[in-house]
């Protein structure tokens, strides 16, 4: 991996400096390729090949289909602001400009959403394509486009596609991107025309990565192979409502609650039940453990679109009313936490009508997705909005009892519907698959893995299940598999002008369900929860896979939009959303999920706001930025006082322990104390929990001698078996997220719990029979783990040496030849922050300390003066590896800085470096 040579100091680069730096990088590229790949290979990858794909950003060019001229102004970071005189011209230009910078990324994503990655990358992607074809995102997107979306939305999607295709006209792959030049050595792939459905399909990929608790459903079911109901309950403690406040505290649900309490009705809620598995125990059994583990591996292999889906990942967004700000108007902050990708999933852009009218309705700026028109998060002239994942439960897995060519349902056999799909393979033979669905459209996911099919045929389940017969399969119920209106919502949000129009727009944002925070220039703030959210019967809380043969586990309907929680101008003067519970479960009649984030980040943000406004204090734009960078560890505050009381015999371990004395619990990159504490935390989790979990949840290759699940009698060699973990490092458990904070917090009141007991390590070292002894062993193990990783001298230790970010191109940068990876990837950066902190540079404690997810962007909107708003992206505007804007924001992002965010004509003109005029 190359050193980080692309992060800038943050000064606006001069034109001559940019040209010299670019030329130097291009020369190095050619020399490296010539030496490593041979003269012929290197000659093909010439400077002209690299430069051919760089966008034209100055002068003028003709775009057939425009009705009038369009101006594209780019600042020193290559961020475009587009000015047009009609809606269609505006979105056509957006398609053209995004394709200039990001078409390869767009092309890969549409092949992913349609299950056609094999057409680009060959047989290695066939399994992924099979699964994605089974989900059928592109089929749902087409139905959505044909039957659900408004005429104006279709018109904008068509205009966007026209702009993308205008960019592609007359270009070969190597003229579009360096990656296509690399693919040219493998196959003769050529990009095809863009379609409106390609854009709509992207929403399905976004919904998949933000789908909610499906992974927790599988994990709880898998735990039953080794843990009992109470043990599983220990690992999924109740949400701490009294300590970590929910989002909505004064909102609409109060009136709904009164009706709820007076009637005593659950209103089809699927009321909360024991998440240990008792409510759906008939769907679990020893054979299904293997089947669900196999399904998890299939899910894990599917490429992520916007982020890892797992406990601990989320986003921050909060808004502070004008009574508590220096400006007297609201401030709104947002930083979604997603997988680190190169280029960033976000693309910054402004979309401006030269005159806002019925012909041209938009004047909006913010973060877009390359491949989709409109702005997803940002502000217009009147309002600003941010998003965090709500985490509501919109997916359920169903265990289907197979019978011949059908499945059992309420004692009768029903036929599957089926379709045949053909997967084309670059350089290989096409493969045909059959996709089976239940009568209500649930795809049978287990068909996609031969081993799952075999296991299903042999599966055993609890006695309450029907006879095994032809075995069992696993099907998926998910709101995103029905056509929806989210694309309509994007355009409606972009032109909303007040709370009422914002709420109307948000109501169309059906999948994925998001927490939306709001602020406007008239000094109002608000929150709303939109989304298509199912209701369930009292038999099912959605926490583990349900028996598909019993109709009482079927969804009973959907919560009406006017019954979903919201707040408007709450008396407390601020609203915080960070994936915590939306409402108190005792005050709302519907079960939204049993798997909220546990509120460590949200409560810390709340505390920071409260500390600023007490005694009449006011909050500034920079205060909001500083809050986004808060590195405080909530679990350290709980554990460190306990760790400092432990007597240690080894002087080297005592030396490490002293690092924690006087530590302020902040996880700065240069902190040795943060490095040691997080190593202790990781070892506590491994000793207390990780080594006791079934192999299906542990890190791949981590092998332990464990007691057989069916072992009886004394524990000796006859009752033990060697088991090796099966999960990728970034998805294994215990991951160390704030659920595990709550697990440990709860168990600290039970110092003699069996969870704190662990056998001796190598050489009978440090057996633990209680919490203190386990903590002591964790401190010892952490000392020697860091000695191996960082050296014996603790003065050289730092959190950033462990906690590093590598940015990788998501295709050839992960699986391409080594030289191509060298060319496309960047890093490392040593980062501050950590797991479940506000500055959530997430890491998986089961797998290691490397950064897994990050604040993918940060923004602070100033509703008093929009030109004083600030923003930053993880990488840069460009997807071209040797563009000056490939990672030119990353250095500032890593340092916690924000860039000026121009909005008004005057501010944009002042920041403009390059101007391009698109002519009809």
């Amino acid at each position: 991996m190359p050193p980080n040579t692309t992060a800038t100091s943050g000064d606006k680069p001069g034109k001559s400096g940019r040209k010299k730096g670019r030329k130097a990088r291009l020369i190095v590229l050619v020399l490296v390729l010539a030496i490593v790949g041979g003269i012929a290979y290197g000659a093909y990858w010439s400077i002209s090949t690299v430069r051919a794909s760089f966008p034209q950003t100055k002068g003028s060019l003709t775009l057939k289909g425009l009705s009038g001229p369009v101006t594209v102004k780019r600042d020193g970071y290559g961020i475009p602001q587009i000015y047009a005189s009609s809606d269609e011209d505006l979105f056509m230009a957006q398609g053209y400009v995004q394709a200039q910078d990001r078409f390869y990324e767009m092309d890969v994503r549409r092949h992913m959403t349609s299950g056609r990655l094999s057409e680009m990358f060959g047989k290695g992607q066939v399994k992924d394509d099979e699964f994605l074809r089974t989900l059928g995102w592109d089929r749902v997107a087409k139905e959505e486009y044909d039957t659900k979306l408004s005429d104006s939305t279709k018109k904008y999607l068509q205009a966007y596609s026209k702009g993308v295709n205008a960019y592609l006209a007359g270009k070969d792959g190597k003229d579009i991107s360096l990656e296509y030049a690399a693919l040219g050595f493998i196959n003769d792939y050529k990009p095809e025309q863009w379609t409106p459905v390609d854009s709509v399909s992207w929403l399905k990929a976004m919904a998949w990565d933000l789908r909610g608790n499906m992974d927790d459903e599988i994990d709880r079911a898998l735990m039953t192979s080794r843990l009992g109901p109470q043990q599983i309950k220990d690992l999924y403690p109740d949400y701490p409502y009294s300590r970590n406040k929910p989002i909505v505290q004064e909102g609409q649900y109060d009136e709904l609650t009164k009706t709820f309490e007076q009637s005593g009705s659950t209103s089809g809620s699927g009321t909360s039940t024991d998440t240990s598995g008792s409510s759906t125990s008939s769907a679990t059994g020893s054979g299904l453990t293997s089947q669900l583990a196999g399904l998890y591996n299939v899910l894990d292999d599917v490429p992520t679109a916007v982020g890892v889906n797992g406990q601990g990942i989320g986003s921050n967004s909060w808004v502070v009313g004008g009574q508590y700000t220096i400006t007297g108007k609201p401030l709104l902050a947002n930083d979604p936490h997603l997988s680190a990708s190169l280029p960033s999933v976000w693309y910054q852009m402004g979309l401006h009508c030269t005159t806002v009218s019925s012909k041209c309705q938009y004047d909006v700026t913010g973060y877009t997705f390359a491949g989709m028109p409109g702005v997803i998060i940002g502000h217009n002239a009147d309002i600003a909005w941010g998003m965090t994942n709500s985490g509501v439960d919109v997916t359920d897995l169903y265990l289907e009892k197979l019978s011949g060519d059908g499945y059992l349902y309420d004692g009768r056999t029903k036929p599957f519907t089926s379709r045949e799909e053909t997967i084309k393979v670059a350089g290989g033979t096409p493969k045909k698959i059959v996709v089976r669905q239940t009568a209500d459209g649930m795809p049978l996911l287990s068909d996609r893995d031969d081993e799952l099919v075999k296991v299903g045929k042999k599966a055993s389940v609890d006695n309450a299940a029907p006879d095994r017969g032809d075995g069992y399969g696993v099907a998926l119920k998910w709101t995103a598999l029905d056509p929806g209106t989210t694309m309509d919502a994007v355009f409606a949000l972009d032109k909303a002008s007040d709370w009422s129009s914002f709420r109307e727009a948000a109501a169309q944002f059906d999948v994925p369900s998001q927490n939306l925070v709001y602020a406007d220039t008239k000094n109002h703030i608000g929150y709303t929860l939109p989304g298509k959210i199912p209701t369930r019967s009292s038999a099912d809380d959605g926490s583990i896979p349900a028996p598909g043969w019993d109709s009482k586990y079927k969804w009973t309907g959907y919560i009406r939009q006017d019954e979903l929680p919201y707040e408007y101008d709450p008396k407390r003067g601020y609203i915080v959303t960070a994936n915590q519970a939306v409402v108190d479960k005792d005050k709302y009649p519907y079960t939204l999920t049993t798997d909220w984030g546990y509120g460590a980040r949200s409560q810390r943000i709340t505390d920071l706001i409260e500390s600023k406004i007490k005694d009449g204090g006011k909050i500034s734009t920079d205060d909001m930025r500083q809050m986004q960078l808060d590195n405080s560890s909530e679990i350290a505050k709980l554990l460190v006082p306990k760790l400092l009381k432990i007597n240690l015999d080894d002087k080297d371990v005592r030396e490490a322990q002293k690092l924690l004395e006087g530590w302020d619990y902040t996880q700065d990159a240069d902190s040795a104390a943060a490095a040691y504490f997080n190593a202790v935390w990781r070892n506590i989790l491994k000793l207390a929990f990780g080594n006791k979990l079934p192999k299906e949840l542990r890190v791949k290759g981590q092998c332990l001698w464990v007691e057989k699940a069916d072992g009886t009698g004394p524990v000796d060699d006859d009752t033990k078996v060697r088991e090796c973990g099966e999960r990728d490092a970034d998805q294994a458990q215990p991951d160390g997220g704030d659920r595990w904070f709550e697990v440990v917090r709860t168990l600290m009141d039970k110092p003699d719990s069996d969870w704190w007991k662990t056998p001796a390590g190598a050489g009978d070292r440090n057996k633990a029979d209680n919490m203190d002894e386990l903590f002591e062993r964790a401190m010892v193990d952490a000392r020697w783990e860091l000695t191996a990783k960082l050296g014996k001298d603790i003065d050289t230790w730092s959190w950033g040496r462990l906690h590093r970010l590598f940015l990788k191109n998501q295709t050839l940068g992960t699986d391409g030849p080594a030289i191509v990876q060298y060319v496309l990837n960047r890093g490392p950066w040593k980062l501050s922050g950590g797991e479940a902190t506000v500055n959530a540079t997430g890491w998986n404690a089961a797998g290691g300390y490397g950064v897994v997810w990050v604040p993918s962007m940060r923004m602070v909107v100033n509703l008093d003066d929009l030109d004083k708003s600030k923003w930053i992206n993880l990488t840069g505007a460009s997807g071209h590896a040797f563009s000056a804007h490939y990672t030119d924001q990353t250095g500032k992002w890593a340092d916690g800085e924000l860039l000026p965010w121009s909005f008004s004509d005057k501010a944009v003109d002042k920041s403009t470096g390059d101007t391009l005029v698109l002519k009809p």
Side-chain angles (χ1 to χ4, degrees):
M1 193 67 60
N4 174 25
T5 58
T6 59
T8 68
S9 63
D11 295 330
K12 183 175 177 179
K15 294 180 181 178
S16 62
R18 288 200 301 267
K19 289 180 180 178
K20 289 178 181 178
R22 185 182 301 164
K23 184 175 181 181
R25 288 191 295 270
L26 292 172
I27 291 172
V28 169
L29 168 64
V30 173
L31 287 174
V32 169
L33 289 170
I35 293 169
V36 178
I39 298 300
Y41 194 98
Y44 185 81
W45 289 57
S46 63
I47 290 177
S48 61
T49 301
V50 175
R51 281 182 171 164
S53 59
F54 286 2
Q56 179 182 340
T57 60
K58 295 181 180 180
S60 64
L61 52 83
T62 300
L63 239 61
K64 186 178 179 181
L66 287 176
S67 64
V70 176
T71 303
V72 182
K73 301 177 180 180
R74 293 179 183 257
D75 67 9
Y77 289 88
I79 299 170
Q81 304 281 343
I82 301 176
Y83 293 83
S85 298
S86 73
D87 291 338
E88 292 93 325
D89 284 356
L90 191 63
F91 294 117
M92 181 178 176
Q94 183 182 15
Y96 184 87
V97 171
Q98 287 189 340
Q100 279 187 305
D101 282 330
R102 299 281 194 94
F103 182 76
Y104 176 76
E105 172 195 1
M106 293 163 58
D107 198 17
V108 171
R109 283 180 178 160
R110 68 162 163 182
H111 278 78
M112 179 187 74
T113 59
S114 59
R116 296 168 53 214
L117 287 168
S118 300
E119 293 179 19
M120 293 185 75
F121 304 109
K123 63 181 180 180
Q125 297 297 321
V126 169
K127 280 291 183 185
D128 289 342
D129 284 347
E130 289 181 10
F131 186 76
L132 292 162
R133 294 287 184 96
T134 300
L135 291 175
W137 292 343
D138 61 331
R139 297 172 63 87
V140 180
K142 186 177 188 310
E143 186 178 356
E144 201 161 287
Y145 180 80
D146 289 341
T147 65
K148 286 286 187 178
L149 299 182
S150 68
D151 290 341
S152 61
T153 293
K154 291 180 182 179
K155 182 170 60 178
Y156 300 156
L157 288 164
Q158 291 162 5
Y160 181 89
S161 297
K162 191 188 302 181
V164 175
N165 293 330
Y167 169 75
L168 294 177
K171 290 183 174 67
D172 292 328
K174 62 182 175 57
D175 300 323
I176 298 171
S177 173
L178 188 65
E179 288 91 337
Y180 289 120
L183 281 176
F185 290 101
I186 304 171
N187 59 56
D188 59 355
Y189 172 80
K190 289 180 174 54
E192 61 191 32
Q193 294 281 288
W194 192 265
T195 73
V197 173
D198 292 333
S199 295
V200 179
S201 295
W202 168 237
L203 289 169
K204 302 302 175 186
M206 182 175 74
W208 177 254
D209 284 349
L210 302 175
R211 63 190 176 270
N213 76 334
M214 188 196 301
D215 292 350
D216 285 316
E217 278 191 50
I218 295 174
D219 282 359
R220 274 188 288 262
L222 291 174
M223 287 178 184
T224 60
S225 69
R226 192 161 294 281
L227 303 177
Q230 182 56 48
Q231 290 174 306
I232 296 174
K233 188 174 178 59
D234 288 345
L235 301 186
Y236 287 88
D238 293 334
Y239 184 90
Y241 289 97
S242 62
R243 188 174 67 253
N244 296 342
K245 300 299 183 185
I247 298 170
V248 175
Q249 300 169 40
E250 307 170 28
Q252 175 265 357
Y253 77 94
D254 283 341
E255 294 182 9
L256 196 61
T257 298
K258 292 175 185 176
T259 304
F260 169 55
E261 291 173 342
Q262 290 167 2
S263 68
S265 170
T266 61
S267 190
S269 62
T271 52
S272 214
T273 58
D274 183 359
T275 59
S276 65
S278 59
S279 65
T280 54
S281 60
S282 61
T284 61
S286 59
L288 266 299
T289 296
S290 297
Q291 193 166 23
L292 289 170
L295 175 59
Y296 192 102
N297 292 333
V298 172
L299 298 175
D300 194 32
D301 284 342
V302 175
T304 58
V306 297
V308 174
N309 186 282
Q311 181 66 36
I313 191 169
S315 303
N316 302 320
S317 191
W318 67 95
V319 60
V320 179
Q323 67 266 43
Y324 293 128
T325 69
I326 288 175
T327 66
K329 292 287 182 70
L331 295 170
L332 185 149
N334 195 189
D335 56 291
H337 307 154
L338 303 171
S339 290
S341 60
L342 181 60
S344 166
V345 68
W346 300 110
Y347 183 91
Q348 296 150 289
M349 177 176 266
L351 300 171
H352 309 278
C353 290
T354 51
T355 301
V356 177
S357 65
S358 59
K359 180 183 177 183
C360 197
Q361 306 171 74
Y362 295 89
D363 187 18
V364 62
T365 180
Y367 294 87
T368 72
F369 290 135
M372 206 175 86
V375 169
I376 305 300
I377 295 173
H379 73 81
N380 57 33
D382 300 304
I383 73 166
W385 67 96
M387 294 186 189
T388 63
N389 194 26
S390 69
V392 299
D393 187 0
V394 296
T395 60
D396 276 337
L397 292 172
Y398 285 88
L399 180 63
E400 301 293 345
K401 195 276 179 186
L402 305 181
S403 178
D405 293 328
Y407 60 99
L408 195 68
Y409 188 76
D410 281 352
R412 300 178 62 184
T413 298
K414 301 185 74 171
F416 286 108
T417 61
S418 63
R419 68 178 187 270
E420 187 176 83
E421 298 269 355
T422 300
I423 298 171
K424 298 178 182 178
V425 182
T429 303
K431 181 173 182 180
K432 293 183 183 295
I433 64 169
V434 174
V435 176
R436 294 193 290 175
Q437 291 181 305
T438 63
D440 57 351
M442 292 194 297
L444 200 65
L445 303 185
S446 48
D447 276 354
R448 296 287 67 85
D449 189 284
D450 292 341
E451 189 61 31
L452 294 185
V453 174
K454 292 177 184 176
V455 171
K457 288 182 177 179
K458 299 178 180 178
S460 63
V461 293
D462 290 350
N463 293 333
D467 291 339
R468 181 170 59 81
D470 292 329
Y472 296 86
V474 179
L476 171 66
K477 182 73 172 176
W478 179 32
T479 54
L481 295 182
D482 296 323
T485 58
T486 300
M487 197 71 242
D488 284 340
V490 172
F491 295 113
L493 285 171
D494 286 354
K495 62 181 180 181
S497 59
D498 55 21
W499 174 245
S500 177
S501 56
F502 173 79
R503 283 263 294 163
E504 289 175 6
Q508 300 176 75
F509 206 103
D510 50 10
V511 179
S513 175
Q514 297 288 286
N515 297 312
L516 293 180
V517 293
Y518 165 93
D520 65 34
T521 57
K522 294 181 180 178
N523 216 359
H524 300 290
I525 64 173
Y527 161 86
T528 191
L529 174 71
K532 187 176 183 181
I533 303 171
T535 56
R536 298 170 174 86
S537 72
S538 59
D540 180 23
D541 65 359
S543 65
I544 67 172
W549 52 82
D550 190 338
S551 62
K552 72 181 180 182
Y553 293 94
K554 184 179 180 180
W555 289 358
T556 57
Y558 299 93
I559 303 175
R560 295 201 320 262
Q561 288 296 308
D562 61 0
E563 293 182 314
L564 289 171
Y566 72 85
E567 278 192 334
Y568 183 61
D569 287 339
K571 293 178 182 178
R572 66 185 180 279
Y574 61 85
I575 301 169
V576 175
T577 84
N579 315 109
Q580 80 272 37
V582 171
V583 296
D584 191 317
K585 66 180 177 63
D586 294 328
K587 297 180 179 179
Y588 189 70
Y590 299 105
T591 298
L592 297 173
T593 185
T594 59
D595 290 301
W596 302 115
Y598 279 75
R601 282 181 288 110
S602 62
Q603 194 57 43
R604 175 61 179 171
I605 295 167
T606 298
D607 292 344
L608 290 170
I609 293 172
E610 291 282 358
S611 69
K612 290 295 294 186
I613 65 178
K614 70 178 181 180
D615 301 324
K618 300 290 185 178
I619 293 175
S620 68
T621 300
D622 197 60
D623 289 331
M624 300 284 274
R625 179 187 71 87
Q626 292 286 357
M627 292 178 194
Q628 288 178 327
L629 303 178
D630 182 77
N631 292 323
S632 178
S633 169
E634 297 304 298
I635 191 63
K637 293 176 185 177
L638 178 68
L639 290 180
V640 166
K642 185 72 175 177
L643 298 176
L644 288 173
K645 293 179 182 178
I646 292 176
N647 293 319
L648 298 164
D649 296 329
D650 191 310
K651 64 179 181 61
D652 291 313
V653 182
R654 289 200 308 273
E655 181 186 31
Q657 183 188 37
K658 288 181 180 179
L659 290 172
L660 303 179
E661 295 178 359
W663 179 42
D664 62 359
Y665 313 121
T666 60
Q667 300 169 97
D668 295 330
D670 60 359
S671 171
Y676 181 58
F677 171 77
N678 282 317
V680 174
W681 171 237
R682 178 173 185 249
N683 279 277
I684 287 173
L685 292 171
K686 180 171 71 172
L687 293 169
F689 311 106
N691 292 349
K692 298 164 188 174
L693 295 176
K695 64 182 183 299
E696 293 86 3
L697 275 69
R698 298 201 312 269
V699 175
K700 192 176 295 182
Q702 180 194 87
C703 301
L704 300 168
W705 285 97
V706 299
E707 187 177 2
K708 293 179 181 177
D710 59 352
T712 56
V715 177
D716 55 36
D717 289 343
D718 290 335
T719 64
K720 288 192 174 184
V721 63
R722 190 169 185 265
E723 285 186 349
C724 297
E726 297 178 353
R727 283 244 177 119
D728 287 342
D730 63 0
Q731 290 287 292
Q733 293 293 341
D735 60 21
D738 65 356
R739 171 165 69 88
W740 293 100
F741 290 12
E742 200 63 26
V743 169
V744 170
R745 183 190 297 273
T746 302
L747 289 173
M748 285 180 72
D749 293 331
K750 304 172 183 178
D752 295 317
S753 166
D754 286 345
W755 287 112
W756 300 125
K757 298 176 182 179
T758 189
D764 293 328
R765 179 170 56 85
N766 293 350
K767 175 186 176 183
D769 287 319
N770 55 50
M771 181 178 69
D772 285 351
E773 290 179 1
L774 185 138
F775 282 6
E776 178 182 355
R777 177 168 167 187
M779 294 177 77
V780 172
D781 290 355
R783 178 23 159 151
W784 299 117
E785 180 188 359
L786 293 197
T787 298
K789 291 179 182 294
L790 303 179
K792 187 174 182 180
D793 183 359
I794 64 173
D795 290 336
T796 68
W797 290 4
S798 71
W799 177 225
R801 287 181 62 194
L802 292 171
H803 193 54
R804 299 186 299 167
L805 170 67
F806 291 88
L807 290 175
K808 295 184 177 182
N809 178 288
Q810 294 302 291
T811 56
L812 300 179
T814 56
D815 295 321
I819 182 57
V820 175
Q821 293 189 39
Y822 183 92
V823 168
L824 296 177
N825 297 340
R826 300 290 183 270
W829 285 265
K830 298 176 181 179
L831 297 188
S832 301
E835 183 63 32
T837 64
V838 181
N839 185 18
T841 55
W843 55 286
N844 186 300
Y849 304 98
V851 177
V852 178
W853 54 77
V854 295
S856 55
M857 61 80 157
R858 298 186 183 101
M859 74 177 198
V860 179
V861 182
N862 182 331
L863 275 299
D864 178 61
D865 185 345
L866 293 167
D867 286 330
K868 291 182 179 178
S869 303
K870 304 285 186 179
W871 63 353
I872 198 77
N873 204 352
L874 172 63
T875 59
S878 180
H880 300 288
F882 287 89
S883 165
H885 306 306
Y886 191 47
T887 54
D888 59 340
Q889 296 185 51
T890 310
K892 278 183 169 291
W893 172 91
D895 292 337
E897 299 180 50
L898 298 176
L899 300 175
W901 185 356
S902 300
F903 178 68
S904 70
D905 292 350
K906 181 179 179 181
V908 170
D909 286 343
K910 186 176 179 180
S911 64
T912 295
D914 294 346
T915 300
L916 174 69
V917 177
L918 306 176
K919 297 180 178 180

